[in-house]
Amino acid sequence: EIGKFCWIGMNAIILPSVQLGDFTIVGAGSVVAKSFREGYCVIAGNPATLIKHLDKSRCDEISRSKL
């Protein structure tokens, strides 16, 4: 399951049964082997690990302006 407003980089691999929360950004070429249900983060690597948390209030502001 992939949440709303997620970005998936080119050649990223998301394994079956992985869940990504809203506003999750996956780096190019990453292998996502575990879920990041909380969302609002940047993940990358093999295996993908948390790189940065995103500000939830700014992300929600962006989503309201796009809807």
Side-chain angles (χ1 to χ4, degrees):
E1 181 179 323
I2 297 176
K4 295 184 261 180
F5 300 102
C6 290
W7 294 357
I8 311 296
M10 186 164 33
N11 294 326
I13 299 169
I14 301 173
L15 298 180
S17 76
V18 167
Q19 296 177 349
L20 300 177
D22 296 344
F23 289 95
T24 299
I25 299 172
V26 180
S30 297
V31 177
V32 185
K34 70 173 194 163
S35 294
F36 291 86
R37 291 182 199 96
E38 69 282 353
Y40 300 92
C41 61
V42 178
I43 59 174
N46 181 9
T49 57
L50 180 68
I51 302 297
K52 179 180 180 178
H53 288 284
L54 301 175
D55 182 14
K56 187 173 182 176
S57 62
R58 287 193 67 200
C59 291
D60 290 338
E61 184 179 306
I62 291 167
S63 69
R64 282 192 297 272
S65 69
K66 292 195 183 261
L67 295 178

